[in-house]
């Protein structure tokens, strides 16, 4: 179901129970004949309107939308917007996006705009006072994804309200709206048909956005532990960087990381010994063994099979011997050594 509460105290104003998952509930001032707002919930909660005082009335009205309240016409009431679907041949078909307005004289919602040829799901890509006369615009995607369309109202208004993007609360809602499960934006002051007053000018940002003042007290981070080791290699270069210091990979200039058939191969001994592994080579069996703490890795020249503590796995390419040095695929090596390996436009970064 849903609950409608006072923001400053733990007290319910109104609540309605549902019969299943309530995926969304919207609230808006849509009716000039009612003191309070309209609430439309999903999951069997139904539609309710606050007629006067504590009197809430459940009513059935056709044509409602249950996604994004929007200021579209010239009055202070809010309209409702929503992408809508239909079913045909057992398939769900996206039909478009509509904006509707409640008609209190006929007790139904009239369609103000029915947009075809777009796709956005139930909610728009963005709803925002972009142009800046306080009514909101809709940003929707072309059906084939080739471009975006911006829709704005052509309705005149007698209300001279500052652009909503001057309000810090509304600006924050716009920043967060497309960042996840999108929700309709709200200003930090009341716009509606009852007791509407323009906010004091001081509550707006107006001509500039203040520089953020952020201290460590406000920094919330879920980052991993700081990097204690970093090895950087570059395709085709014989130099590497270890914790900011340059070093040669090998005395032979041909021992460099390279790409073959879209697979990056790197010199095994240099990387392994840099990371603290002991490397031994069995000339007779063409075998290489890496040992560090309780980890033992075994592989053979010319084979794509390797073992880690006896557990067998496969490289994406065979182990090679070049310039009398062993080369292995980078991707499998990163799994063997258990460190973070990133590949970016020819630069290989190994971190711990």
């Amino acid at each position: 179901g849903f609950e409608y509460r006072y923001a400053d105290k733990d007290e319910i104003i109104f609540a309605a129970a549902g019969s299943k998952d309530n995926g969304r509930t919207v609230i808006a001032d849509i009716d000039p004949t009612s003191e309070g707002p309209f609430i439309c919930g999903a999951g069997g909660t139904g539609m309710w309107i606050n007629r006067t005082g504590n009197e809430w009335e459940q009513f059935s009205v056709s044509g409602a939308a249950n996604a994004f309240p929007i200021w579209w016409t010239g009055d202070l009431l809010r309209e409702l917007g929503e992408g809508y679907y239909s079913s045909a041949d057992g398939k769900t078909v996206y039909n478009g996006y509509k904006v509707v307005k409640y008609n209190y004289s006929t007790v139904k919602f009239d369609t103000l705009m029915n947009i075809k040829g777009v796709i956005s799901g139930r909610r728009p890509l963005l709803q925002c006072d972009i142009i800046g006369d306080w009514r909101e615009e809709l940003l929707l995607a072309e059906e084939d994804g080739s471009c975006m369309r911006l829709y704005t109202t052509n309705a005149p208004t007698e209300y001279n309200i500052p652009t909503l993007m001057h309000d810090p609360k509304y600006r924050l809602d716009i920043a967060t709206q497309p960042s996840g499960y999108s929700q309709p934006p709200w200003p930090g002051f009341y716009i509606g048909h009852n007791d509407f007053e323009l906010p004091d000018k001081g509550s707006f940002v107006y001509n500039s956005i203040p520089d953020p003042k952020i201290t460590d007290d406000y920094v919330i981070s879920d980052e991993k532990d700081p990097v204690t080791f970093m090895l950087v290699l570059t395709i085709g270069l014989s130099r590497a960087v270890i914790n900011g210091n340059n070093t040669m990979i090998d005395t032979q200039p041909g021992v460099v990381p390279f790409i073959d058939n879209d697979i990056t191969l790197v010199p095994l001994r240099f990387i392994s010994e840099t990371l603290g592994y002991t490397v031994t080579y069995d000339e007779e069996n063409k075998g290489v063994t890496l040992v560090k703490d309780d980890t033992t890795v075994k592989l053979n020249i010319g084979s794509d099979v390797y073992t880690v503590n006896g557990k067998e796995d496969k490289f994406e390419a065979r182990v090679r011997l070049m310039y009398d040095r062993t080369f292995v695929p980078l991707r499998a090596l990163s799994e063997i050594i258990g460190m973070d390996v990133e590949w970016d436009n020819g630069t290989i970064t190994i971190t711990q």
Side-chain angles (χ1 to χ4, degrees):
F2 66 76
E3 291 179 353
Y4 176 36
R5 290 175 174 262
Y6 288 102
D8 59 347
K9 54 187 175 182
D10 186 21
E11 184 177 332
I12 295 175
I13 300 171
F14 180 67
S19 57
K20 54 184 178 180
D21 173 55
N22 180 7
R24 177 170 291 275
T25 297
V26 297
I27 184 169
D29 180 18
I30 67 168
D31 184 0
T33 67
S34 297
E35 285 188 11
F38 160 86
I39 301 179
C40 180
T45 56
M47 290 179 283
W48 299 81
I49 198 159
N50 179 219
R51 293 298 186 191
T52 179
N54 294 322
E55 179 191 347
W56 289 85
E57 176 184 314
Q58 186 172 18
F59 70 123
S60 177
V61 56
S62 62
N66 186 29
F68 262 53
I70 182 171
W71 281 293
W72 189 260
T73 63
D75 59 36
L76 298 175
L77 301 170
R78 223 167 186 193
E79 288 68 51
L80 304 177
E82 182 178 44
Y84 63 100
Y85 300 79
S86 64
S87 297
D89 300 326
K91 297 181 179 179
T92 300
V93 179
Y94 186 82
N95 295 115
Y97 198 91
K98 65 180 180 180
V99 175
V100 299
K101 183 175 184 62
Y102 179 63
N103 187 330
Y104 65 91
S105 61
T106 60
V107 193
K108 69 175 186 178
F109 284 91
D110 296 331
T111 300
L112 301 181
M113 185 169 62
N114 190 358
I115 306 171
K116 301 290 187 179
V118 295
I119 184 165
S120 66
R122 292 288 186 192
R123 296 160 294 279
L125 297 181
L126 186 71
Q127 177 181 304
C128 176
D129 178 18
I130 296 172
I131 293 178
D133 77 336
W134 75 269
R135 271 82 59 80
E136 296 172 296
E137 281 71 50
L138 290 169
L139 190 65
L140 303 170
E142 283 271 7
E143 211 164 22
D144 61 1
S146 62
C147 64
M148 293 183 289
R149 300 181 188 175
L150 181 66
Y151 288 86
T152 185
T153 183
N154 60 359
T157 181
E158 62 181 297
Y159 296 98
N160 185 22
I161 301 174
T163 168
L164 301 186
M165 285 295 279
H166 280 105
D167 176 51
K169 164 65 171 60
Y170 187 86
R171 184 179 288 268
L172 178 62
D173 279 7
I174 296 304
T176 58
Q177 182 188 151
S179 302
Y181 194 84
S182 58
Q183 305 291 343
W186 292 88
F189 61 95
Y190 169 74
I191 298 177
H193 77 283
N194 280 336
D195 301 321
F196 168 72
E197 294 180 7
L198 278 174
D200 294 334
K201 185 173 181 178
S203 66
F204 285 94
V205 177
Y206 275 89
N207 295 324
S208 63
I209 302 301
D211 293 332
K213 294 178 176 59
I214 301 175
T215 68
D216 291 340
D217 295 336
Y218 295 93
V219 177
I220 301 173
S221 175
D222 58 357
E223 292 181 359
K224 298 177 181 179
D225 293 335
V227 171
T228 57
F229 173 86
M230 179 180 290
L231 168 63
V232 180
L233 305 165
T234 304
I235 297 297
L237 294 186
S238 58
R239 288 187 174 273
V241 180
I242 302 174
N243 290 339
N245 299 312
N246 287 297
T247 187
M248 291 293 294
I249 293 177
D250 200 277
T251 56
Q252 298 194 54
V255 181
V256 296
F258 67 95
I259 300 175
D260 184 45
N261 291 326
D262 294 328
I263 298 174
T264 301
L265 292 108
V266 292
L268 176 65
R269 180 179 288 273
F270 171 76
I271 294 176
S272 300
E273 291 183 344
T274 300
L275 298 177
Y277 285 85
T278 300
V279 183
T280 57
Y281 180 62
D282 181 355
E283 179 70 36
E284 182 179 353
N285 298 307
K286 305 294 183 183
V288 181
T289 302
L290 314 178
V291 178
K292 181 181 180 182
D293 300 330
D294 57 354
T295 300
T296 300
V297 181
K298 293 186 176 183
L299 49 96
N300 291 87
I301 305 298
S303 172
D304 60 356
V305 176
Y306 68 93
T307 63
V308 179
N309 292 338
K311 184 178 179 181
E312 189 175 289
D313 206 336
K314 275 194 172 187
F315 292 117
E316 55 188 335
R318 295 179 184 274
V319 176
R320 299 190 190 184
L321 189 64
M322 299 175 61
Y323 304 100
D324 202 31
R325 301 292 186 266
T326 304
F327 285 78
V328 297
L330 172 65
R331 184 179 300 174
L333 179 62
S334 66
E335 297 176 0
I336 291 173
I337 63 179
M339 300 182 74
D340 294 327
V341 178
E342 295 182 2
W343 198 102
D344 181 20
N345 197 28
T347 300
I348 302 162
T349 304
I350 302 173
T351 56
Q352 183 180 49

